């Protein structure tokens, strides 16, 4: 069993890219959000955030039983990727998007101001990057700046990295924005 993991802040394109990658590689795609729903792991609604709260133990069990059922390669995308057992993971890709572009994209989705700000800040700090580096070996974690790439271009890049054995380029929006003197525009009070 080898899992290709696609993670990233909301709006960075995980679902789109995973779909394209799945068809390029002829590999089945699973969304952790869908898996959590199907397995009844969404235990509560966080009203302030307008989002479900996932029971992590329940989702780990659901992931493990999925991996037992499926043979060969598969793609798993979504949040909570650090719950996937690392020994099953072939490679993890973290999609990154320039905070300014991400902010516009999330606004367009109709997210509240607070939710936009929370997610933009998470992207600036690199929360998904850090979670992935904690959960998986550094050598199998690659980040892709998709700011000026289409989902297809991003999927092509993923295939390239898989074929070449890896890419450990790290993206640091915090440092970049700091140098530009506009870090505060992207962090909450
Ligand atoms: N590389 C890209 N360039 C421009 N727009 C993109 C890109 N990738 C995705 N999008 C668009 O951005 C939006 C968010 O994409 P998508 O739903 O795949 O994100 P996601 O990471 O799965 O978000 P969530 O975590 O909320 O599920 C969609 O409207 C999608 O068409
Ligand atoms: Mg998605």
């Amino acid at each position: 069993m080898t899992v290709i993991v696609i993670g990233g802040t909301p709006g960075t394109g995980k679902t789109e890219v995973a779909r394209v990658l799945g068809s390029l590689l002829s590999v089945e795609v699973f969304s952790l959000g869908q898996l959590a729903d199907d397995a009844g792991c969404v235990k509560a609604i966080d009203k302030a955030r307008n989002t479900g709260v996932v029971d992590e133990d329940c989702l780990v069990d659901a992931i493990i039983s999925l991996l037992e059922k499926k043979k060969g390669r598969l793609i798993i995308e979504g949040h909570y990727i650090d719950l996937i057992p690392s020994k099953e993971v072939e490679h993890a890709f973290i999609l990154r998007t320039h905070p300014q572009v991400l902010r516009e994209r999330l606004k367009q989705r109709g997210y509240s101001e607070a939710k936009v700000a929370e997610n933009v800040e998470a992207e600036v700090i690199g929360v998904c990057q850090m979670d992935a580096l904690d959960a998986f070996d550094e050598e199998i974690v690659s980040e892709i700046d998709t700011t000026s790439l289409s989902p297809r271009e991003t999927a092509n890049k993923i295939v390239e990295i898989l074929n070449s054995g890896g890419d450990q380029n790290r993206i640091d929006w915090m440092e970049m924005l700091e140098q530009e003197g506009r870090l505060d525009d992207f962090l909450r009070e």
Side-chain angles (χ1 to χ4, degrees), residues 135-176:
F136 311 121
D137 284 344
E138 217 176 307
E139 302 79 60
I140 62 160
V141 177
S142 297
E143 293 176 68
I144 301 180
D145 179 358
T146 69
T147 306
S148 51
L149 300 180
S150 68
R152 173 160 287 272
E153 287 169 327
T154 303
N156 284 336
K157 188 147 189 194
I158 289 177
V159 172
E160 232 172 75
I161 293 173
L162 285 171
N163 290 337
S164 72
D167 175 322
Q168 281 154 55
N169 173 46
R170 299 283 165 238
I171 291 167
D172 187 345
W173 300 130
M174 189 123 83
E175 194 191 298
M176 191 196 74

Side-chain angles (χ1 to χ4, degrees), residues 68-176:
E68 279 168 357
K69 270 201 305 248
K70 299 287 173 183
K71 294 272 168 277
R73 236 179 186 182
L74 56 87
I75 297 169
I76 300 182
E77 64 96 3
H79 305 285
Y80 307 104
I81 56 167
D82 47 314
L83 300 181
I84 302 168
S86 60
K87 64 177 177 10
E88 310 281 0
V89 175
E90 172 183 348
H91 210 100
F93 294 90
I94 308 303
L95 307 187
R96 307 297 306 270
T97 303
H98 191 290
Q100 195 163 353
V101 172
L102 186 66
R103 178 146 69 193
E104 290 314 313
R105 230 185 253 173
L106 293 175
K107 273 189 200 164
Q108 291 233 318
R109 274 188 178 187
Y111 277 16
S112 70
E113 221 167 285
K115 197 162 168 176
V116 171
E118 181 181 355
N119 284 303
V120 166
E121 184 178 83
E123 178 62 11
V124 170
I125 296 169
V127 173
C128 292
Q129 174 211 65
M130 291 186 282
D131 286 349
L133 289 171
D134 276 346
F136 311 121
D137 284 344
E138 217 176 307
E139 302 79 60
I140 62 160
V141 177
S142 297
E143 293 176 68
I144 301 180
D145 179 358
T146 69
T147 306
S148 51
L149 300 180
S150 68
R152 173 160 287 272
E153 287 169 327
T154 303
N156 284 336
K157 188 147 189 194
I158 289 177
V159 172
E160 232 172 75
I161 293 173
L162 285 171
N163 290 337
S164 72
D167 175 322
Q168 281 154 55
N169 173 46
R170 299 283 165 238
I171 291 167
D172 187 345
W173 300 130
M174 189 123 83
E175 194 191 298
M176 191 196 74

Side-chain angles (χ1 to χ4, degrees), residues 39-56:
C41 301
V42 183
K43 296 300 183 204
I45 298 295
D46 180 339
K47 284 218 178 81
R49 293 198 167 80
N50 189 25
T51 173
V53 179
V54 166
D55 176 335
E56 297 196 355

